[in-house]
Amino acid sequence: MTLASVARADDGTLRSIEHYLNGLTTVTAKFSQVAPNGEISEGIFYLQRPGKMRWEYAAPIPIVMVSNGDTLVYYDKELSQKTYIPLKDTLAALLVRDHISLSGDIVVDEIEKGGDNILVTLHQAGKADEGGMIMEFQKSPLQLRSLSLTDAIMQQTKISFTDAKFGGAIESKVFVLEEDIRRERK
């Protein structure tokens, strides 16, 4: 199904979701992640649009992921190892864009409505074989509840958000790795 047919069949739900996502300036939320093997981890998610986000996993997981708008830095504290990933190569880039559009380089595969939920299944244009994402929204009031990410081998990771705070100030140092701050002080 193409975006045009999904949009026509859905009476503007996609446009409402785009409007909601574009209205987000900052978000701070707790997250719970269920990995493909069933392992559960938790942490704090920060978003400041455009361009910035941070996924800080709680102990014992030694992982922090930070975006500056161009690059997603995956940092393993235990190994003191950083991996740099072009943000445009990830579906996470959708959340930090200056203008969020569920068309163009994003393909909406399906919209499901049931009860108080809306599920939007999507993938990057030309990259369907690399996986996709399901965004789950609460209908009323419209609010992002979870993300389910599927990789190229069809393994799914689900991330659920709780205690979300919208529109508050977030200190700029949140979007910088602590080791980089310490190095700058020396």
Side-chain angles (χ1 to χ4, degrees), residues 6-7 28 30 34 41 55 77 87 94-95 99-100 111 113 123 133 149 153 159 173:
V6 168
T28 303
K30 293 179 184 177
V34 180
S41 53
W55 300 86
K77 295 182 216 178
L87 192 58
L94 174 67
L95 297 174
H99 177 75
I100 296 172
I111 298 171
K113 295 181 192 178
H123 68 272
M133 178 166 63
L149 306 167
I153 58 172
I159 304 166
K173 70 180 183 180

Side-chain angles (χ1 to χ4, degrees), residues 47-139:
L47 173 75
Q48 182 176 312
R49 292 188 52 247
K52 298 178 181 178
M53 75 176 147
R54 179 184 184 104
W55 300 86
E56 174 108 26
Y57 288 80
I61 309 296
I63 304 298
V64 177
M65 293 184 290
V66 177
S67 166
N68 64 6
D70 295 318
T71 304
L72 180 67
V73 180
Y74 179 95
Y75 179 57
D76 185 321
K77 295 182 216 178
E78 196 170 84
L79 300 175
S80 294
Q81 182 179 14
K82 293 180 188 174
T83 303
Y84 297 87
I85 304 162
L87 192 58
K88 66 180 173 62
D89 291 345
T90 72
L91 275 169
L94 174 67
L95 297 174
V96 297
R97 290 180 174 178
D98 185 33
H99 177 75
I100 296 172
S101 176
L102 298 177
S103 62
D105 64 340
I106 298 295
V107 176
V108 174
D109 299 309
E110 185 177 9
I111 298 171
E112 295 179 53
K113 295 181 192 178
D116 191 36
N117 293 329
I118 301 169
L119 301 177
V120 179
T121 304
L122 51 88
H123 68 272
Q124 289 180 290
K127 297 183 178 184
D129 59 339
E130 293 179 20
M133 178 166 63
I134 300 171
M135 301 177 81
E136 178 185 357
F137 295 89
Q138 171 182 296
K139 271 188 195 174

